[in-house]
Amino acid sequence: MQIDVDLLFSWGAIAKEYKRNELVFVEDEVANFYYQIIEGCVRMFNSNDDGKEFTQGYFVVGQSFGEPPLFIDEKYPSTAVAFHDCKIIKLSKDKFLKIIDEYPAIQKQFLYLLAKRIYSKARTSNSIINQKPEFRILAFLSDHKKGNSNEKELVAFTRQEIANFTGLRVETVIRAFAKMKATNKIEIINHKIYF
Amino acid sequence: MQIDVDLLFSWGAIAKEYKRNELVFVEDEVANFYYQIIEGCVRMFNSNDDGKEFTQGYFVVGQSFGEPPLFIDEKYPSTAVAFHDCKIIKLSKDKFLKIIDEYPAIQKQFLYLLAKRIYSKARTSNSIINQKPEFRILAFLSDHKKGNSNEKELVAFTRQEIANFTGLRVETVIRAFAKMKATNKIEIINHKIYF
DNA sequence: CGGTTCCTTGAGGATGATCAACGAGGGTGG
DNA sequence: CCACCCTCGTTGATCATCCTCAAGGAACCG
């Protein structure tokens, strides 16, 4: 949990519902709100001219997103959309920055959070740029694995979503999966992937 | 300037000199120090199996680098090397974290710094993944332009360095530059690039 | 059971990587 | 001052890989 929900409400935050695929904010828009997910899952992405999308990240229950621009007075570098139906807390930028100032413990939490984000962005951009499709996909799968046991678990992303995250095309992802199945790196049962 | 130099020294920091190409820290090493540049320039990068390098970023005088792992108790995701001869202040992790705790203003500065880094990492990874060579290079050039005037200025990176940053190969960079010259996006005088 | 979304396969093509060889400039030491 | 070396830039030819396009099949849901 990022900021205590009751605290947020006491500062005037409101909860808003978003249907699947509804936009939360759009690239190049001015950043005016702090967002924290109560229910559902949010995807951040960029589109290029051809309509090809690149997923910057997924955010789930309890996580906040789109904060960096609030601190540095920048526009949103990406678009955020409800990946599933969502309930999201919204608080104005001013109030959010005041909370940060008034509660040193919260400020510190955000420092750690941003440090984590940079760390993982450094790792993903490295694996995406330097490596072959199979490697990129494996990096994605490892990062998004819930348990860290050896047991294989269901991958809850479509091949298209994995393609968007790894900067590949669906067909390439599918073909890579075929190879990975052959080498026992994953299992595919009934079109579902287990890793 | 990140943290006041005198303050750092008063907390027991030392200044160390690094020759060009000398390593400051290495990928996967445990993070034990805070580093701040007094003189010179540092490059952070990853190498993959083929020896191909991907540059995560350049850091110049007055900037600190390699802090995120200090906050979250992780190993370094990349290697740092002196790009030119350097003088760098080094402070132990413990003392650094104490400074962060004792001076709220400094803590806040780091929050802003990390926010900026995330913002620019989001932008670069997008332009690198989604786009054609020429576009990637233009993004790099814009990001590293000092003045924001329209006047063309000398690009102080070799073609190899630009290739490492954009995830391309030298030859591809050179060929892209040839096209960009033809379309007047850059000038090349005596092998030097002006953008 | 009809529609939508997702998955799959094949063929062909474009693009950037690779390999090899050479040119140009700048600095250093004899 | 010149010869050499080392780094950086350049060019062409060839290759591998991933993208593109097209078509169809499977699963799922109301």
Side-chain angles (χ1 to χ4, degrees):
Chain A
M1 182 67 69
Q2 219 17 246
I3 300 184
D4 182 79
V5 176
D6 295 331
L7 181 65
L8 283 170
F9 282 130
S10 79
W11 279 74
I14 56 149
K16 194 174 159 190
E17 312 223 335
Y18 295 82
K19 288 277 156 222
R20 175 170 167 74
N21 290 328
E22 197 175 332
L23 295 172
V24 182
F25 55 73
V26 181
E27 186 175 346
D28 286 330
E29 199 176 283
V30 176
N32 285 322
F33 294 95
Y34 167 78
Y35 295 95
Q36 185 172 310
I37 304 175
I38 303 186
E39 235 180 82
C41 176
V42 165
R43 183 169 78 100
M44 281 200 44
F45 70 97
N46 295 97
S47 314
N48 72 358
D49 313 330
D50 327 332
K52 189 179 168 187
E53 294 187 354
F54 168 58
T55 299
Q56 295 269 1
Y58 290 96
F59 299 89
V60 298
V61 173
Q63 295 187 305
S64 58
F65 60 93
E67 328 84 337
L70 296 176
F71 293 121
I72 56 176
D73 223 31
E74 279 283 1
K75 305 191 168 170
Y76 286 113
S78 315
T79 297
V81 69
F83 184 56
H84 301 306
D85 291 357
C86 281
K87 192 183 283 182
I88 301 176
I89 292 192
K90 229 176 133 170
L91 180 68
S92 78
K93 172 178 171 173
D94 294 349
K95 299 247 182 73
F96 170 68
L97 292 177
K98 270 194 194 122
I99 290 184
I100 290 288
D101 273 347
E102 300 230 343
Y103 302 87
I106 294 180
Q107 181 171 136
K108 207 167 168 184
Q109 250 187 57
F110 273 96
L111 192 62
Y112 291 171
L113 175 71
L114 296 194
K116 238 177 231 160
R117 293 244 191 98
I118 290 180
Y119 177 79
S120 71
K121 267 214 176 301
R123 285 171 49 89
T124 48
S125 55
N126 175 41
S127 58
I128 285 177
I129 289 195
N130 261 333
Q131 311 286 357
K132 310 220 152 304
E134 184 175 321
F135 195 102
R136 299 193 203 183
I137 293 172
L138 283 171
F140 172 85
L141 293 177
S142 305
D143 280 356
H144 290 79
K145 194 165 179 166
K146 281 164 198 147
N148 40 6
S149 65
N150 296 334
E151 286 171 50
K152 288 202 168 47
E153 60 189 43
L154 178 66
V155 175
F157 293 92
T158 68
R159 283 134 230 252
Q160 182 63 61
E161 282 152 19
I162 296 173
N164 288 343
F165 197 96
T166 51
L168 302 165
R169 300 258 95 161
V170 210
E171 298 93 331
T172 307
V173 171
I174 287 169
R175 285 165 185 143
F177 275 141
K179 273 190 212 159
M180 291 160 70
K181 183 184 178 177
T183 53
N184 285 319
K185 286 167 190 151
I186 57 165
E187 279 182 46
I188 303 181
I189 300 168
N190 201 305
H191 298 160
K192 292 189 198 319
I193 296 159
Y194 294 84
F195 172 75
Chain B
M1 183 65 70
Q2 217 23 243
I3 300 185
D4 182 79
V5 175
D6 296 330
L7 180 66
L8 284 170
F9 283 129
S10 78
W11 279 74
I14 56 149
K16 194 175 160 191
E17 311 221 337
Y18 295 82
K19 288 276 156 223
R20 174 170 167 73
N21 290 328
E22 198 176 331
L23 294 172
V24 182
F25 55 72
V26 181
E27 187 175 344
D28 286 331
E29 199 176 284
V30 176
N32 284 322
F33 294 95
Y34 167 79
Y35 295 96
Q36 185 172 309
I37 304 175
I38 303 185
E39 235 179 82
C41 176
V42 165
R43 183 170 79 99
M44 283 200 44
F45 69 96
N46 295 96
S47 314
N48 71 358
D49 313 330
D50 325 332
K52 189 178 167 186
E53 295 186 352
F54 168 59
T55 300
Q56 295 270 1
Y58 290 98
F59 299 88
V60 298
V61 173
Q63 293 187 307
S64 59
F65 60 92
E67 328 84 337
L70 297 176
F71 293 121
I72 56 175
D73 223 33
E74 279 283 0
K75 304 192 168 171
Y76 286 114
S78 316
T79 296
V81 69
F83 184 55
H84 303 307
D85 291 357
C86 280
K87 191 183 283 181
I88 301 176
I89 292 192
K90 229 176 131 168
L91 180 68
S92 78
K93 173 178 169 172
D94 294 351
K95 299 248 183 71
F96 170 68
L97 292 177
K98 270 194 195 123
I99 290 184
I100 290 290
D101 272 348
E102 301 230 340
Y103 301 87
I106 293 180
Q107 180 171 138
K108 207 167 168 184
Q109 252 187 56
F110 273 96
L111 192 62
Y112 291 171
L113 175 70
L114 297 193
K116 240 178 230 159
R117 292 244 192 96
I118 291 180
Y119 177 79
S120 70
K121 268 211 176 303
R123 284 171 49 89
T124 49
S125 56
N126 174 42
S127 56
I128 285 177
I129 290 194
N130 261 333
Q131 311 288 355
K132 310 218 152 303
E134 183 175 322
F135 194 101
R136 300 194 202 184
I137 294 172
L138 282 171
F140 171 85
L141 293 177
S142 305
D143 279 358
H144 289 79
K145 195 165 178 166
K146 282 165 198 148
N148 39 6
S149 65
N150 296 334
E151 287 171 51
K152 289 203 167 48
E153 59 188 43
L154 178 67
V155 175
F157 293 93
T158 67
R159 281 134 231 250
Q160 183 63 60
E161 283 152 18
I162 295 173
N164 288 342
F165 198 96
T166 51
L168 301 166
R169 300 259 96 161
V170 210
E171 298 92 331
T172 307
V173 170
I174 288 168
R175 285 167 184 140
F177 274 141
K179 272 190 213 160
M180 290 159 72
K181 183 183 178 178
T183 51
N184 286 318
K185 286 168 190 152
I186 56 164
E187 278 182 46
I188 302 180
I189 300 169
N190 203 305
H191 299 160
K192 293 189 196 325
I193 296 158
Y194 295 85
F195 172 75

